[in-house]
Amino acid sequence: MKALHFGAGNIGRGFIGKLLADAQVELTFADVSPALLDALNSRKGYDVHVVGEQATVEPVSNVSAVNSAGQDAINLIAQVDLVTTAVGPTVLEKIAGNVAKGLVLRHQQGNDSPLNIIACENMVRGTSQFKQHVFNALPEDEKVWVEAHVGFVDSAVDRIVPPAAAGTTDPLEVTVETFSEWIVDKTQFKGPLPDIKGMELTDNLMAFVERKLFTLNTGHAITAYLGQQAGHATIRDAILDPQVRAVVKGAMEESGAVLIKRYGFDADKHAAYIQKILSRFENPYLHDDVERVGRQPLRKLSAGDRLIKPLLGTEEYQLPHANLVVGIAAAMRYRSEQDPQAQELVALLSKLGPKATLAQISGLPIDGEVVAQAVSVYEKMH
Ligand SMILES: NC(=O)C1=CN([C@@H]2O[C@H](COP(=O)(O)OP(=O)(O)OC[C@H]3O[C@@H](n4cnc5c(N)ncnc54)[C@H](O)[C@@H]3O)[C@@H](O)[C@H]2O)C=CC1
Ligand SMILES: O=P(O)(O)OC[C@H]1O[C@](O)(CO)[C@@H](O)[C@@H]1O
């Protein structure tokens, strides 16, 4: 099997690319970073540092890389069996044009073998959203062929992979936690289902996507935002702060109560899932900055994402949400010099004030109770 993976970053190298290479898939990365492309092409591999109770170094070999914006990537889309992405939600639209060109070429070359595309991003049904971008870029008369031959397969991806430690000069350096979970929607594949170790197939993807995004990512984001407020630099330091931990755990439980109602999860197993996540946040072997985990606060405060969507669920089922509201207020206080969305948030707050800013970003009603509660917490937070 041949695969093209967009995004040779942390998840690309440390999780999805590694898993494909381990399964003997002939793997090419597509990226835009010259440093990554050069290093991958000259060394053809890299080491993955898996850290936990027992640290291991797992080599990845026989990989190569192409520029995702160039003709090589288009040519590969015409040939491979699998395309995966881990580029970040905002980049999917940017790569859609070249993916569409590759699909047109594939058709022109008479390659009717099934191709499956899987976006591995922190998004609800990210591949379906990517499909829309690809279809927007496709000529009208190619759409029927693409529908018939290309599977757009949604997935949930879970492994904490922070950027390489400060001071590392190797662009391929990557350190990952032991835990990993990649769950894909088996109902969306074209052709035979792949048999790749570490890729789990399900016909109930939404339950897994929401369980992951609205537990791990909800808790992680609130740890980051409250941690930054309390002056902690890392997720570990933040989650070991009892005041932060109480809110994070409370918010995951509030979100969990919605998931239990919606998907019928077993309450005890869900409580154990939350405990496991808290211990992953504490991982002493990972250095994960609160600034990274809180990145792109406008995305994280949007209606379908990890803070607002669980809160809307609590309203739907009339469940408590005091801790989620504290997390939302803390997100409004997130600051980062590196992050354009953090700058935009500051600009919005100073132009519109907190109430209108939150309503605009989240889609929550400006005169509703939740906005009033969040703004009241926000104002007490400095
Ligand atoms: N790091 C983590 O622990 C996890 C990340 N994710 C998700 O995986 C995705 C990627 O995250 P990370 O790997 O952490 O980010 P990252 O920033 O380490 O990697 C993104 C990669 O995409 C590349 N890129 C940017 N523009 C591109 C383009 N036009 N074409 C091709 N490549 C391009 C970048 O050069 C970079 O190598 C995100 O959606 C994230 O939410 C999901 C689970 C875990
Ligand atoms: O990658 P995002 O969506 O910006 O959010 C960061 C989060 O994603 C992860 O990278 C993994 O799911 C976490 O480390 C963190 O919750």
Side-chain angles (χ1 to χ4, degrees), residues 9 26 38 63 102 117 122 126 136 167 174 206 220 232 271 297 302 327 334 365:
E26 193 179 321
D38 290 349
V63 296
I117 298 181
N122 279 335
N136 289 342
V174 64
M206 277 307 282
H220 220 183
H232 301 299
S302 66
Y334 174 77

Side-chain angles (χ1 to χ4, degrees), residues 68-94:
S68 84
Q71 187 61 39
D72 287 344
I74 296 173
N75 293 343
L76 277 165
I77 290 162
Q79 295 162 16
V80 297
D81 311 290
L82 180 67
V83 169
T84 49
T85 79
V87 288
T90 51
V91 179
L92 285 178
E93 192 170 2
K94 297 183 187 162

Side-chain angles (χ1 to χ4, degrees), residues 122 160 212 216-217 220 292-293 295 299-300 306:
N122 279 335
I160 298 177
K212 189 263 171 173
L216 180 126
N217 291 116
H220 220 183
R292 176 195 88 84
V293 175
R295 67 188 172 190
R299 171 167 61 92
K300 289 182 176 141
R306 62 209 74 185

